[in-house]
Amino acid sequence: MTATSFRYHLPKKAIKSDCPDCGPKHRKTLSRYIDSLTGEPLPDIYGRCDRESNCGYHLNPYHKGPSGLSYHDEMKNRERQEPIPKDWFRTAARQKHNGETKQRIITNLIRLQHATPEQAERVANFLFDGPVASSSGPTPPAGPTPVFTIPDELLKQSLGHYERNQFAILLRRHFGTNVADDLLKRFNIGTSGRWPGACVFWYIDEQNRIRGGQIKLFDEFFHTVKYVIRNGEKRSRTSWVHSAYARRLDQQQTPYPAWLTAYLDEQNDVQKSPCLFGLPQLATAPIDKPVAIVEAPKTAVISTPYFPDFIWMAVGALSYLNADRMAPLRGRRIELFPDLSKDRSAFDRWNRIAGELLGHGFQITVSTYLEDNATQDEKAAGLDLADFLLEQWEGYPPDWEE
């Protein structure tokens, strides 16, 4: 078998970058592996150093790591799990009808639809090897649960209006306008009309699909506003974009659009935040920049200017930390910052899950900073990293009832 018959190989015309082991003294000594189906280089840890006698660095994408899987294995597994849009089958069917070859259809899907090679091959195999397509186009085979999303227009409409967004006002007051506006743009923070002053934390996945939007109303100290219902129970001013939108349409006696009907259908098992908050940052972040994970979106936003060496993201809730949500972070160094708890249960839970993720090939550690520095009262109150950072803000009162 020749070298070029492998999907990943070192091309004759080398693509160069810095070797991880040589350091800054020897620049551009690493020959990168490329994906033969796309022509794109692999992450810059996969390559062979030209200084074979002095360095000898060589990481092959077929080499199995501590998890027992190679880069090749992980890409295959990830591509098999990604859903395939129905439009790709219809487009490919038209191309087949017009006489395009199987390989040409695969190439078109990769180039024009940004499909992964595995996805493109699955579409082409279904068309050429599966049942005959109907006149309306083929029905894709059973696969992952369809993804239900919120239209881009709603996100775009929410961006801006920061003069009436309490979270934006607080960021500008605490960090200054330039830093605050960078954070608002970086995290796609929106403004909601659900309550005067409310903001929206948009959950956007690695494919830039809008999976959910959490609405929050904060008081003047970054605490979620609480209210008391008739039986004396405290509730927070927290909602979701799809719920608020449905509520407004109900008040206007207006029919739901198709996307909202599908999103609200319990049979579709739609989750409000099935991905990490802050994923769009990966599009421009260096591959060697580590990721820090916290529970709340607010904490991820506030921590970013304090610790810019991390890419800050949030899972949304203590129980949401799992391999599915963390999948886009494979290949990156990850550090978890669990909230405090009276009995250390939050830390122990994330520490246990981190051990499981290590077994699946994730590079992950758990920070003990809060556990090592918090008082018993702070632990009992369940404070998080943002609370510790904001204590430095003059006039910021601790309110451990949140």
Side-chain angles (χ1 to χ4, degrees):
M1 180 178 289
T2 63
T4 54
S5 65
F6 289 101
R7 175 173 170 178
Y8 306 117
H9 66 277
L10 294 169
K12 292 181 179 179
K13 185 177 180 180
I15 299 175
K16 296 288 189 176
S17 65
D18 294 342
C19 173
D21 282 0
C22 286
K25 291 184 179 180
H26 302 278
R27 307 302 301 271
K28 305 295 183 182
T29 61
L30 187 74
S31 296
R32 302 270 295 278
Y33 278 89
I34 69 166
D35 186 336
S36 61
L37 292 179
T38 65
E40 295 295 321
L42 272 59
D44 56 12
I45 61 171
Y46 295 99
R48 183 174 62 194
C49 183
D50 297 339
R51 303 175 65 246
E52 294 185 15
S53 58
N54 295 310
C55 175
Y57 179 90
H58 184 191
L59 183 56
N60 188 310
Y62 293 94
H63 173 75
K64 295 187 183 298
S67 66
L69 297 176
S70 65
Y71 175 87
H72 170 73
D73 296 331
E74 292 184 355
M75 291 301 102
K76 281 287 187 182
N77 291 340
R78 183 184 303 179
E79 290 167 352
R80 289 191 188 101
Q81 295 171 0
E82 292 179 350
I84 299 178
K86 293 181 180 180
D87 287 343
W88 294 4
F89 288 88
R90 299 189 183 100
T91 299
R94 286 195 294 270
Q95 293 177 1
K96 181 186 177 186
H97 179 74
N98 292 333
E100 291 284 13
T101 65
K102 183 177 180 180
Q103 186 56 49
R104 183 64 179 174
I105 288 174
I106 292 174
T107 302
N108 287 342
L109 286 169
I110 294 172
R111 183 171 60 89
L112 301 177
Q113 303 295 341
H114 305 294
T116 64
E118 179 75 10
Q119 289 174 320
E121 289 174 357
R122 285 164 60 191
V123 173
N125 288 339
F126 177 76
L127 289 176
F128 285 84
D129 305 328
V132 178
S134 65
S135 59
S136 61
T139 301
T145 302
V147 173
F148 298 92
T149 62
I150 295 176
D152 293 355
E153 293 75 32
L154 267 69
L155 180 146
K156 292 176 182 177
Q157 291 170 12
S158 77
L159 299 180
H161 316 290
Y162 294 133
E163 70 283 352
R164 56 183 175 87
N165 182 321
Q166 176 73 349
F167 188 66
I169 293 170
L170 292 170
L171 289 178
R172 287 171 172 173
R173 185 184 304 167
H174 187 53
F175 294 110
T177 300
N178 291 339
V179 173
D181 288 356
D182 176 71
L183 293 172
L184 295 168
K185 182 178 180 180
R186 174 194 295 262
F187 289 99
N188 297 287
I189 305 298
T191 300
S192 172
R194 177 66 180 87
W195 301 290
C199 72
V200 184
F201 295 121
W202 290 103
Y203 284 79
I204 305 170
D205 68 16
E206 68 279 9
Q207 298 183 44
N208 215 34
R209 298 172 299 188
I210 304 170
R211 306 300 295 277
Q214 186 187 49
I215 300 173
K216 279 271 190 181
L217 178 62
F218 294 98
D219 66 15
E220 60 181 324
F221 297 109
F222 285 105
H223 292 164
T224 306
V225 171
K226 302 287 182 67
Y227 66 101
V228 180
I229 60 177
R230 290 181 180 178
N231 63 2
E233 178 185 351
K234 283 189 176 181
R235 292 188 179 177
S236 65
R237 294 291 187 190
T238 301
S239 185
W240 294 90
V241 167
H242 66 278
S243 299
Y245 194 58
R247 180 177 181 272
R248 187 173 71 183
L249 294 178
D250 289 341
Q251 292 174 340
Q252 298 172 348
Q253 297 184 338
T254 302
Y256 292 173
W259 74 264
L260 184 58
T261 300
Y263 202 96
L264 292 171
D265 188 345
E266 294 183 358
Q267 293 183 355
N268 291 334
D269 192 27
V270 173
Q271 292 180 311
K272 299 183 182 70
S273 55
C275 65
L276 295 171
F277 171 79
L279 278 174
Q281 297 175 93
L282 295 182
T284 56
I287 188 65
D288 60 348
K289 189 171 184 178
V291 177
I293 301 292
V294 292
E295 183 175 326
K298 177 194 79 173
T299 306
V301 177
I302 291 172
S303 299
T304 295
Y306 283 97
F307 305 105
D309 291 337
F310 284 104
I311 307 167
W312 287 89
M313 298 185 187
V315 293
L318 177 68
S319 61
Y320 286 178
L321 183 68
N322 56 44
D324 288 341
R325 280 185 172 81
M326 301 291 282
L329 305 184
R330 282 187 180 276
R332 291 182 179 270
R333 289 182 291 122
I334 305 165
E335 187 160 3
L336 306 179
F337 289 82
D339 291 358
L340 292 168
S341 54
K342 182 178 181 180
D343 56 359
R344 192 184 163 97
S345 58
F347 178 90
D348 290 343
R349 178 174 185 149
W350 277 22
N351 194 44
R352 173 179 55 79
I353 295 173
E356 296 171 357
L357 293 172
L358 279 171
H360 286 86
F362 288 88
Q363 304 174 53
I364 191 165
T365 57
V366 185
S367 172
T368 62
Y369 173 77
L370 293 180
E371 293 292 334
D372 293 342
N373 292 281
T375 66
Q376 285 303 121
D377 287 340
E378 289 169 334
K379 292 178 180 179
L383 302 191
D384 62 15
L385 183 59
D387 294 308
F388 274 75
L389 297 175
L390 291 172
E391 283 180 352
Q392 304 171 40
W393 188 12
E394 184 178 354
Y396 180 81
D399 182 356
W400 295 338
E401 292 185 0
E402 187 176 1

Short mmCIF file of all heavy atoms in Angstrom, two decimals, residues 4 12 51 65 77-79 103 119 130 138 152 156 180 197 214 227 266 273 279 297 331 336 347-348 392:
data_model
loop_
_atom_site.label_atom_id
_atom_site.label_comp_id
_atom_site.label_asym_id
_atom_site.label_seq_id
_atom_site.Cartn_x
_atom_site.Cartn_y
_atom_site.Cartn_z
N THR A 4 0.12 7.44 -0.26
CA THR A 4 -1.01 8.28 -0.63
C THR A 4 -2.33 7.54 -0.57
O THR A 4 -3.38 8.15 -0.73
CB THR A 4 -0.81 8.83 -2.06
OG1 THR A 4 -0.57 7.74 -2.95
CG2 THR A 4 0.36 9.80 -2.11
N LYS A 12 4.09 15.44 -0.62
CA LYS A 12 5.43 15.65 -1.20
C LYS A 12 5.90 17.08 -0.99
O LYS A 12 7.06 17.33 -0.68
CB LYS A 12 5.40 15.31 -2.69
CG LYS A 12 5.17 13.82 -2.98
CD LYS A 12 5.18 13.55 -4.47
CE LYS A 12 4.98 12.06 -4.73
NZ LYS A 12 4.96 11.75 -6.18
N ARG A 51 14.39 17.53 12.06
CA ARG A 51 15.63 17.34 12.84
C ARG A 51 15.58 15.95 13.49
O ARG A 51 15.51 15.81 14.71
CB ARG A 51 15.78 18.44 13.87
CG ARG A 51 15.79 19.84 13.27
CD ARG A 51 15.82 20.95 14.32
NE ARG A 51 17.05 20.94 15.10
CZ ARG A 51 17.13 20.67 16.38
NH1 ARG A 51 16.02 20.36 17.07
NH2 ARG A 51 18.29 20.69 17.01
N GLY A 65 -3.52 6.69 21.09
CA GLY A 65 -3.14 7.38 22.30
C GLY A 65 -3.53 6.61 23.55
O GLY A 65 -3.91 5.44 23.48
N ASN A 77 -15.33 8.18 14.45
CA ASN A 77 -16.43 8.09 15.42
C ASN A 77 -17.25 9.37 15.43
O ASN A 77 -18.48 9.34 15.48
CB ASN A 77 -15.88 7.82 16.82
CG ASN A 77 -15.29 6.44 16.96
OD1 ASN A 77 -15.60 5.54 16.18
ND2 ASN A 77 -14.44 6.25 17.95
N ARG A 78 -16.58 10.52 15.39
CA ARG A 78 -17.29 11.80 15.44
C ARG A 78 -18.13 11.99 14.18
O ARG A 78 -19.28 12.43 14.24
CB ARG A 78 -16.29 12.95 15.56
CG ARG A 78 -16.96 14.31 15.69
CD ARG A 78 -15.95 15.44 15.71
NE ARG A 78 -14.99 15.30 16.78
CZ ARG A 78 -13.99 16.17 17.00
NH1 ARG A 78 -13.84 17.20 16.20
NH2 ARG A 78 -13.15 15.98 17.99
N GLU A 79 -17.57 11.66 13.02
CA GLU A 79 -18.30 11.87 11.77
C GLU A 79 -19.52 10.96 11.65
O GLU A 79 -20.53 11.33 11.07
CB GLU A 79 -17.35 11.65 10.59
CG GLU A 79 -16.30 12.76 10.47
CD GLU A 79 -15.17 12.43 9.53
OE1 GLU A 79 -15.10 11.28 9.05
OE2 GLU A 79 -14.36 13.33 9.25
N GLN A 103 -17.94 9.66 -7.04
CA GLN A 103 -16.83 10.40 -6.48
C GLN A 103 -17.02 11.90 -6.64
O GLN A 103 -16.68 12.69 -5.76
CB GLN A 103 -15.50 9.97 -7.13
CG GLN A 103 -14.26 10.59 -6.49
CD GLN A 103 -14.18 10.33 -4.99
OE1 GLN A 103 -14.33 9.20 -4.55
NE2 GLN A 103 -13.95 11.39 -4.21
N GLN A 119 -19.49 11.98 6.07
CA GLN A 119 -20.87 12.33 5.74
C GLN A 119 -21.12 12.24 4.24
O GLN A 119 -22.15 11.70 3.81
CB GLN A 119 -21.19 13.74 6.25
CG GLN A 119 -21.28 13.87 7.75
CD GLN A 119 -21.46 15.31 8.17
OE1 GLN A 119 -20.84 16.21 7.62
NE2 GLN A 119 -22.31 15.54 9.15
N GLY A 130 -28.14 2.09 -1.97
CA GLY A 130 -29.37 1.88 -1.22
C GLY A 130 -30.57 1.75 -2.13
O GLY A 130 -30.44 1.53 -3.35
N PRO A 138 -34.61 11.17 -2.11
CA PRO A 138 -34.51 10.04 -1.21
C PRO A 138 -34.75 10.44 0.23
O PRO A 138 -34.51 11.58 0.63
CB PRO A 138 -33.04 9.59 -1.40
CG PRO A 138 -32.34 10.87 -1.77
CD PRO A 138 -33.31 11.66 -2.58
N ASP A 152 -31.71 32.16 12.89
CA ASP A 152 -30.67 33.17 13.06
C ASP A 152 -31.26 34.57 13.27
O ASP A 152 -30.67 35.40 13.96
CB ASP A 152 -29.76 33.21 11.83
CG ASP A 152 -28.92 31.95 11.68
OD1 ASP A 152 -28.99 31.09 12.59
OD2 ASP A 152 -28.22 31.82 10.66
N LYS A 156 -30.03 37.73 15.70
CA LYS A 156 -29.60 39.02 15.15
C LYS A 156 -30.46 40.16 15.71
O LYS A 156 -29.95 41.25 15.99
CB LYS A 156 -29.69 38.98 13.63
CG LYS A 156 -28.68 38.04 12.98
CD LYS A 156 -28.88 37.95 11.48
CE LYS A 156 -27.90 36.96 10.85
NZ LYS A 156 -28.13 36.81 9.38
N ALA A 180 -15.85 45.54 27.72
CA ALA A 180 -17.23 45.04 27.81
C ALA A 180 -17.80 44.78 26.43
O ALA A 180 -18.43 43.73 26.19
CB ALA A 180 -18.10 46.04 28.56
N GLY A 197 -34.53 45.08 30.97
CA GLY A 197 -33.15 44.91 31.41
C GLY A 197 -32.59 43.51 31.24
O GLY A 197 -31.42 43.27 31.53
N GLN A 214 -30.82 31.32 26.74
CA GLN A 214 -31.26 31.49 28.12
C GLN A 214 -31.41 32.98 28.43
O GLN A 214 -30.51 33.77 28.19
CB GLN A 214 -30.26 30.87 29.09
CG GLN A 214 -30.72 30.90 30.55
CD GLN A 214 -29.64 30.42 31.51
OE1 GLN A 214 -28.51 30.86 31.45
NE2 GLN A 214 -30.01 29.51 32.39
N TYR A 227 -37.94 36.66 42.75
CA TYR A 227 -39.26 37.13 43.14
C TYR A 227 -39.95 36.02 43.92
O TYR A 227 -39.53 34.86 43.88
CB TYR A 227 -40.09 37.55 41.92
CG TYR A 227 -40.45 36.42 40.97
CD1 TYR A 227 -41.72 35.86 41.00
CD2 TYR A 227 -39.53 35.94 40.04
CE1 TYR A 227 -42.06 34.83 40.12
CE2 TYR A 227 -39.86 34.92 39.18
CZ TYR A 227 -41.13 34.37 39.21
OH TYR A 227 -41.47 33.36 38.35
N GLU A 266 -42.84 17.88 22.46
CA GLU A 266 -42.16 17.02 23.42
C GLU A 266 -41.65 15.73 22.78
O GLU A 266 -40.69 15.12 23.25
CB GLU A 266 -43.08 16.70 24.59
CG GLU A 266 -43.43 17.91 25.44
CD GLU A 266 -44.29 17.55 26.63
OE1 GLU A 266 -44.65 16.36 26.75
OE2 GLU A 266 -44.62 18.44 27.43
N SER A 273 -30.35 23.52 26.16
CA SER A 273 -28.95 23.91 26.01
C SER A 273 -28.09 22.66 25.83
O SER A 273 -27.34 22.26 26.71
CB SER A 273 -28.47 24.69 27.23
OG SER A 273 -28.68 23.93 28.41
N LEU A 279 -18.91 28.15 22.41
CA LEU A 279 -18.22 27.35 21.40
C LEU A 279 -17.73 28.14 20.18
O LEU A 279 -16.70 27.79 19.60
CB LEU A 279 -19.12 26.20 20.92
CG LEU A 279 -19.16 24.95 21.80
CD1 LEU A 279 -20.20 23.97 21.27
CD2 LEU A 279 -17.79 24.28 21.85
N PRO A 297 -23.03 30.69 32.28
CA PRO A 297 -22.53 31.61 31.25
C PRO A 297 -22.00 32.92 31.81
O PRO A 297 -20.99 33.43 31.34
CB PRO A 297 -23.77 31.84 30.37
CG PRO A 297 -24.59 30.60 30.53
CD PRO A 297 -24.39 30.19 31.97
N GLY A 331 -8.80 17.06 21.79
CA GLY A 331 -7.53 17.55 21.27
C GLY A 331 -7.04 18.81 21.96
O GLY A 331 -5.91 19.24 21.74
N LEU A 336 -11.43 22.25 34.49
CA LEU A 336 -12.76 22.46 35.04
C LEU A 336 -12.69 23.30 36.31
O LEU A 336 -11.80 23.11 37.14
CB LEU A 336 -13.41 21.11 35.37
CG LEU A 336 -13.49 20.07 34.25
CD1 LEU A 336 -14.14 18.79 34.77
CD2 LEU A 336 -14.24 20.60 33.05
N PHE A 347 -17.63 19.51 43.48
CA PHE A 347 -16.26 19.20 43.07
C PHE A 347 -16.10 17.70 42.82
O PHE A 347 -15.52 17.28 41.81
CB PHE A 347 -15.27 19.67 44.14
CG PHE A 347 -13.83 19.35 43.81
CD1 PHE A 347 -13.06 20.24 43.10
CD2 PHE A 347 -13.26 18.14 44.20
CE1 PHE A 347 -11.75 19.95 42.78
CE2 PHE A 347 -11.95 17.83 43.89
CZ PHE A 347 -11.19 18.75 43.18
N ASP A 348 -16.60 16.89 43.74
CA ASP A 348 -16.45 15.44 43.61
C ASP A 348 -17.14 14.92 42.35
O ASP A 348 -16.63 14.01 41.68
CB ASP A 348 -17.02 14.73 44.84
CG ASP A 348 -16.16 14.96 46.08
OD1 ASP A 348 -14.98 15.36 45.92
OD2 ASP A 348 -16.66 14.74 47.20
N GLN A 392 -13.51 41.74 44.39
CA GLN A 392 -12.50 42.79 44.24
C GLN A 392 -13.12 44.11 43.81
O GLN A 392 -12.46 45.15 43.84
CB GLN A 392 -11.46 42.36 43.20
CG GLN A 392 -10.80 41.03 43.50
CD GLN A 392 -9.95 40.56 42.35
OE1 GLN A 392 -9.26 41.34 41.71
NE2 GLN A 392 -10.00 39.27 42.05
#
